[in-house]
Amino acid sequence: MDYLDKKKKELRPEDFPKLKELAQTKSWWDSIDQLDLIIGEITFHYPETKQVMLDWSKDQDFWLRRIAIDHQLMRKEKTDMDLLEKVILNNLGQSEFFINKAIGWSLRNYSKVNPDWVGAFIDHYRDQLSPLSIREGSKYLPS
């Protein structure tokens, strides 16, 4: 993962199949969380790969769904709000801890630059978000 992280600016959309294979064979939160940012770098530079993230956000493999949810972490004001919303909506009502935590982290991270949008999102989908997602996503929102 450290090697891939150092080379992430050299990765291209054609690397997605190998990265997907890596995500599905070496799956644990620490490796997946590093892949979030590596895959996010590709998606940021190659917008045509957004469809891959939408597809992964609906995959039966929850680790791929977690990558889709968190791949924009650290993008701040460059976050694709529409994509973020779609990948989260594709994962509402989940009981999987790692999915609900990812939703919360993505919302919390984005709330640092767009608290109004995150607050409105949480209010609108409160009944479908897990308490964990709400707690994490609301962490930096004004009370």
Side-chain angles (χ1 to χ4, degrees):
M1 289 304 165
D2 291 338
Y3 177 77
L4 283 174
D5 186 57
K6 288 184 186 315
K7 296 291 189 177
K8 67 184 170 192
K9 292 190 186 299
E10 298 173 31
L11 296 173
R12 305 285 178 261
E14 51 272 11
D15 295 312
F16 267 64
K18 290 281 187 195
L19 293 169
K20 180 180 181 183
E21 181 182 348
L22 181 61
Q24 293 184 300
T25 57
K26 300 293 181 187
S27 305
W28 193 237
W29 67 266
D30 56 349
S31 58
I32 296 300
D33 287 357
Q34 279 191 284
L35 279 173
D36 288 343
L37 301 177
I38 293 165
I39 289 170
E41 187 75 20
I42 300 170
T43 303
F44 181 71
H45 293 289
Y46 298 92
E48 66 271 19
T49 62
K50 290 178 186 180
Q51 185 59 50
V52 175
M53 291 299 95
L54 287 170
D55 293 344
W56 286 13
S57 75
K58 296 182 263 183
D59 198 277
Q60 68 180 10
D61 185 335
F62 73 85
W63 292 115
L64 292 180
R65 293 197 324 265
R66 182 177 169 98
I67 290 170
I69 295 165
D70 281 347
H71 81 279
Q72 293 192 84
L73 286 177
M74 316 313 278
R75 287 286 169 210
K76 299 182 181 177
E77 61 278 337
K78 295 178 182 174
T79 298
D80 181 333
M81 199 171 23
D82 294 331
L83 181 59
L84 177 63
E85 181 174 21
K86 288 175 185 173
V87 297
I88 291 174
L89 291 178
N90 286 341
N91 285 279
L92 291 180
Q94 300 289 311
S95 61
E96 172 56 53
F97 169 83
F98 288 107
I99 293 299
N100 291 325
K101 188 77 167 179
I103 290 170
W105 279 352
S106 287
L107 291 172
R108 180 181 67 202
N109 190 270
Y110 192 51
S111 75
K112 294 174 185 177
V113 295
N114 197 342
D116 293 337
W117 184 89
V118 172
F121 183 91
I122 289 172
D123 287 344
H124 186 76
Y125 295 104
R126 184 170 298 277
D127 293 342
Q128 298 170 65
L129 288 163
S130 74
L132 174 60
S133 297
I134 293 170
R135 185 173 60 250
E136 291 289 334
S138 301
K139 190 170 188 172
Y140 301 127
L141 295 177
S143 298

